[in-house]
């Protein structure tokens, strides 16, 4: 049985979506960020980066959210959440997964933690404003990608879609949230009807009312 070390609405949400979509047995283990549990020696022995999430797959430990998503999808090829080696869309799937984690997620982290990017507190508001624009540009690119296709990687649901849904949830407080983009809006509302996403949002106490 898989064990997912998680905290609600954190980067563990995408692997949580994947586990629900796979309909496989798994156990959720709460890592209480409020009490710095992710910095405890017992957790650091699994994940020396001290970040959430971490996945236990038998004796194998995997950390980094995107890596966990890829690992889970490749362990369950029948669910077709990642194209197999040699398949036409595999490169596109990996491309978008890396774009989401290395570009969109990275820019969101600067937006949420601007104080980490300057030692001068007077710079904070300017950093946040700049990030609003950078993130809006990223969502515009994703919106264009979705204009003529159902999912981020063509017509096949993939790990990228669950990862993007997680990041879209994080970004709903922006001046230009994902739902303000025409094709992203339709796409996110479709995804929000999936049982796996509904189940995870119930467990993590997130309302999907904005996506209905």
């Amino acid at each position: 049985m898989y064990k997912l070390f998680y905290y609600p609405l954190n980067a563990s949400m995408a692997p949580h979506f994947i586990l629900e979509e796979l309909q496989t047995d798994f156990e959720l283990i709460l890592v209480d960020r409020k009490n710095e549990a992710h910095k405890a020696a017992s957790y650091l022995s699994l994940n020396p980066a001290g970040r959430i999430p971490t996945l236990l797959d038998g004796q194998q430990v995997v950390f980094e959210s995107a890596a966990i998503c890829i690992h889970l999808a490749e362990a369950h090829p029948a669910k077709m959440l990642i194209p197999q080696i040699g398949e036409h869309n595999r490169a596109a799937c990996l491309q978008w997964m890396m774009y989401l984690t290395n570009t969109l997620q990275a820019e969101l982290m600067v937006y949420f933690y601007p104080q980490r990017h300057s030692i001068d507190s007077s710079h904070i508001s300017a950093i946040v404003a700049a990030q609003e624009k950078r993130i809006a540009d990223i969502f515009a690119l994703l919106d264009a990608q979705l204009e003529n296709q159902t999912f981020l990687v063509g017509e096949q649901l993939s790990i990228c879609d669950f990862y993007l849904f997680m990041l879209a949830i994080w970004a709903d407080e922006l001046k230009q949230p994902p739902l303000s983009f025409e094709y992203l809006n339709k796409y996110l509302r479709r995804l929000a009807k999936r049982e796996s996403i509904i189940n995870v949002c119930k467990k993590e106490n997130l309302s999907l009312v904005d996506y209905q």
Side-chain angles (χ1 to χ4, degrees):
M1 179 188 293
Y2 296 112
K3 294 183 179 181
L4 180 66
F5 292 80
Y6 87 110
Y7 189 80
L9 308 184
N10 272 223
S12 49
M13 197 173 205
H16 194 178
F17 287 145
I18 300 295
L19 286 164
E20 284 283 352
E21 184 71 20
L22 292 173
Q23 297 181 314
T24 189
D25 291 334
F26 67 95
E27 178 184 355
L28 289 174
I29 301 174
L30 180 67
V31 182
D32 189 354
R33 282 191 60 186
K34 292 181 179 178
N35 291 316
E36 296 287 307
H38 57 305
K39 302 300 182 184
S42 58
Y43 188 73
L44 291 172
S45 69
L46 295 173
N47 184 338
R51 296 179 180 176
I52 301 168
T54 300
L55 180 79
L56 277 184
D57 178 3
Q59 298 300 310
Q60 185 173 16
V61 180
V62 186
F63 57 87
E64 291 297 321
S65 184
I68 293 171
C69 291
I70 292 170
H71 175 76
L72 289 170
E74 293 195 329
H76 298 266
K79 294 293 185 176
M80 300 174 63
L81 291 181
I82 188 170
Q84 299 302 295
I85 293 174
E87 291 184 359
H88 173 68
N89 278 337
R90 182 173 175 85
C93 183
L94 295 176
Q95 164 197 282
W96 286 113
M97 196 64 171
M98 296 309 105
Y99 183 78
L100 293 174
T101 187
N102 292 345
T103 302
L104 177 53
Q105 185 173 356
E107 298 291 0
L108 283 167
M109 290 301 96
V110 178
Y111 172 82
F112 288 122
Y113 302 102
Q115 70 278 6
R116 297 177 180 175
H117 299 274
S118 178
I119 59 174
D120 187 339
S121 61
S122 68
H123 295 165
I124 299 302
S125 60
I127 293 172
V128 171
Q131 289 308 110
E132 288 264 12
K133 175 64 168 62
R134 291 171 68 89
I135 294 166
D137 288 345
I138 293 169
F139 281 128
L141 184 152
L142 292 166
D143 188 62
Q145 176 69 13
L146 290 162
E147 180 176 358
N148 296 308
Q149 58 193 53
T150 306
F151 299 109
L152 196 52
V153 185
E155 297 306 308
Q156 178 63 48
L157 179 74
S158 76
I159 54 175
C160 299
D161 300 300
F162 294 103
Y163 211 90
L164 178 50
F165 196 88
M166 174 185 74
L167 298 179
I169 288 171
W170 293 1
D172 65 5
E173 69 176 53
L174 273 65
K175 293 177 182 176
Q176 283 187 273
L179 287 174
S180 68
F181 294 84
E182 179 181 359
Y183 303 108
L184 264 173
N185 182 301
K186 295 175 182 178
Y187 162 83
L188 293 169
R189 290 179 188 277
R190 284 197 304 271
L191 288 176
K193 295 177 182 178
R194 298 194 70 83
E195 185 176 356
S196 56
I197 286 180
I198 292 170
N199 289 344
V200 169
C201 290
K202 284 181 179 178
K203 291 179 182 179
E204 300 201 11
N205 197 29
L206 174 72
S207 172
L208 287 171
V209 65
D210 290 341
Y211 298 87
Q212 295 172 352

